Amino acid sequence: MEIAWLCVIKCRAAVAWEPSKPLVMEEIEVAPPQAHEIRIKIVATGVCHTDLYHLFEGKHKDGFPCVLGHEGAGIVESVGSEVTKFNPGDKVIPLFISQCGQCRFCKSPKTNLCEKGWYDVMSESDTRFTCKGKKVLQFMGTSTFSEYTVVNEIAVAKIHPSAPLDKVCLLGCGVATGYGAALNTAKVEPGSTCAVFGLGAVGLAAVMGCKNAGAKRIIAIDINPTKYEKAKVFGATEFVNPKDHNKPISQVLHEMTNGGVDFSLECVGSVAVMRSALESCVKGWGVSVLVGWTDMDDFAARPIQLIAGRTWKGSLFGGFKSKDGVPKLVNEYLEKKVKLDEFVTHNMTLAQVNDAIQLMQTGDCIRSVLSVALQ
């Protein structure tokens, strides 16, 4: 492999040349991995709302051209110098949250953040991609809408060799995010009543987390009534469509639950829904978790909501320390403790990425998984 990792690889990738425009299939050049880096052949990738957020809504307009995608899985093609824990042929999941293991955040059990993460810029300027003589940025340090990508070893998880990459790729973002928000951040308790706002992949994973934590009632909330049948698969016991009521959804939930739910999880990324989720919690001990990704608007609530004993908190990647948590989640899937297959509503190819984006925009899918390269 020494010769291989000295070579530039030419491959196909879906390039976002500018905001709010369709992605373009291009031939790009992927440079060899440098020290502490790993070059990965991406086998499968999900399409996540955060990809759409950067393309259509995000404030980082200078983050183009770039290759999107951050929910992928693949096989190590080559490694750079000083990489000792990965070998060519290893199955891996690239991570948008790093875990260096050395910074104050990594050493603390209180958070899954890492000081070497990308949090301030969604497309890193230090990239291994070029196309038509131009530098192409890597989205969230991963860029899985490419046949090959290069990722720092602190943002790669080695997984079980029998794991099906077209399923476990979902643990790179959406499923881990929702599932962990219920288990790790909200800390849902047995016998409790929960409400999950938004039934995309993240919300359904939150429903699954509530169920696995032992919640007695799990109220699934969405304006799309077709989502209820899917929510029941993951453990939802009831469904509420806010459009069916002429009163605030928080009032509806208060009436259903004798004063509010014990735990609520907002999985939409809307500041208005975040407030509704908080106000749906019971006073005294209710916990509401912000899970849906957004950085567009301020959010607000009346102080009495918190003074009365409610807790409002946020969750990033479900609170999982990435390199430690993802391999464990893969094992739980293999042991049939975590569902993944049920999230996949469409299997497509990388060349169909714009169709997959449209499906997500219209709400006609839970997760589209794109096949990128043959194993």
Side-chain angles (χ1 to χ4, degrees):
M1 293 302 300
E2 292 185 3
I3 295 176
W5 66 257
L6 291 174
C7 299
V8 172
I9 287 180
K10 293 185 178 181
C11 69
R12 299 284 287 170
V15 178
W17 287 105
E18 53 186 314
S20 303
K21 295 295 177 65
L23 307 188
V24 181
M25 292 300 300
E26 302 277 14
E27 182 179 80
I28 69 169
E29 296 81 37
V30 182
Q34 298 183 12
H36 298 290
E37 293 181 344
I38 300 170
R39 188 157 59 184
I40 302 167
K41 179 172 73 172
I42 299 296
V43 172
T45 181
V47 179
C48 175
H49 182 267
T50 308
D51 298 311
L52 276 65
Y53 176 85
H54 183 73
L55 184 62
F56 295 108
E57 304 172 26
K59 64 183 182 181
H60 302 284
K61 300 304 182 183
D62 56 346
F64 294 87
C66 71
V67 173
L68 296 171
H70 63 286
E71 193 178 74
I75 299 170
V76 174
E77 178 269 338
S78 56
V79 299
S81 63
E82 301 182 56
V83 174
T84 60
K85 296 182 179 180
F86 294 86
N87 294 295
D90 288 343
K91 285 188 176 181
V92 294
I93 293 178
L95 306 164
F96 71 90
I97 285 191
S98 57
Q99 185 184 348
C100 72
Q102 301 299 318
C103 72
R104 55 177 176 156
F105 292 143
C106 285
K107 290 180 178 180
S108 170
K110 298 178 181 179
T111 182
N112 64 338
L113 299 184
C114 174
E115 286 188 326
K116 296 184 179 179
W118 52 269
Y119 312 111
D120 294 327
V121 286
M122 296 191 79
S123 291
E124 295 183 330
S125 58
D126 185 17
T127 178
R128 302 291 170 260
F129 292 166
T130 55
C131 181
K132 299 179 180 179
K134 296 181 180 179
K135 180 168 68 173
V136 177
L137 304 179
Q138 289 186 243
F139 180 61
M140 298 171 85
T142 53
S143 291
T144 58
F145 291 174
S146 172
E147 292 175 335
Y148 288 86
T149 190
V150 177
V151 183
N152 193 293
E153 65 175 331
I154 65 173
V156 180
K158 185 190 298 186
I159 61 173
H160 197 284
S162 68
L165 299 178
D166 61 337
K167 301 298 190 298
V168 298
C169 63
L170 301 183
L171 294 170
C173 183
V175 174
T177 295
Y179 187 67
L183 290 175
N184 302 328
T185 310
K187 300 186 185 303
V188 170
E189 299 168 355
S192 61
T193 297
C194 302
V196 177
F197 290 74
L199 299 177
V202 173
L204 292 173
V207 169
M208 179 170 66
C210 292
K211 182 179 187 300
N212 287 6
K216 183 177 181 180
R217 295 178 69 186
I218 304 171
I219 305 169
I221 302 153
D222 202 289
I223 59 174
N224 183 346
T226 66
K227 296 289 184 70
Y228 182 39
E229 290 303 314
K230 180 66 78 170
K232 286 196 292 186
V233 171
F234 292 97
T237 59
E238 299 152 76
F239 178 79
V240 177
N241 185 342
K243 290 186 175 181
D244 293 340
H245 302 271
N246 58 5
K247 61 182 75 171
I249 185 63
S250 58
Q251 185 178 339
V252 173
L253 291 175
H254 275 250
E255 294 171 358
M256 291 175 62
T257 59
N258 188 29
V261 300
D262 300 306
F263 301 94
S264 69
L265 297 107
E266 192 279 349
C267 302
V268 179
S270 161
V271 294
V273 179
M274 291 173 186
R275 180 168 184 168
S276 294
L278 174 69
E279 294 174 348
S280 298
C281 285
V282 66
K283 62 184 178 182
W285 61 74
V287 174
S288 186
V289 180
L290 281 59
V291 189
W293 178 269
T294 185
D295 192 25
M296 293 292 290
D297 303 296
D298 294 337
F299 66 103
R302 292 186 179 275
I304 190 62
Q305 296 288 340
L306 303 184
I307 293 171
R310 297 176 182 86
T311 300
W312 212 2
K313 59 201 304 188
S315 183
L316 182 65
F317 197 54
F320 288 109
K321 286 187 179 289
S322 57
K323 287 175 69 73
D324 294 339
V326 167
K328 293 177 182 178
L329 287 171
V330 169
N331 292 341
E332 288 184 18
Y333 166 71
L334 295 174
E335 295 164 2
K336 301 189 183 305
K337 296 177 181 178
V338 170
K339 298 180 187 294
L340 289 179
D341 302 46
E342 293 82 356
F343 287 94
V344 181
T345 53
H346 297 76
N347 288 285
M348 310 171 79
T349 67
L350 181 61
Q352 295 173 297
V353 62
N354 289 311
D355 295 331
I357 289 173
Q358 185 174 11
L359 283 170
M360 177 157 282
Q361 286 179 304
T362 57
D364 291 328
C365 74
I366 301 300
R367 263 300 185 268
S368 295
V369 173
L370 310 180
S371 60
V372 182
L374 296 176
Q375 294 191 43

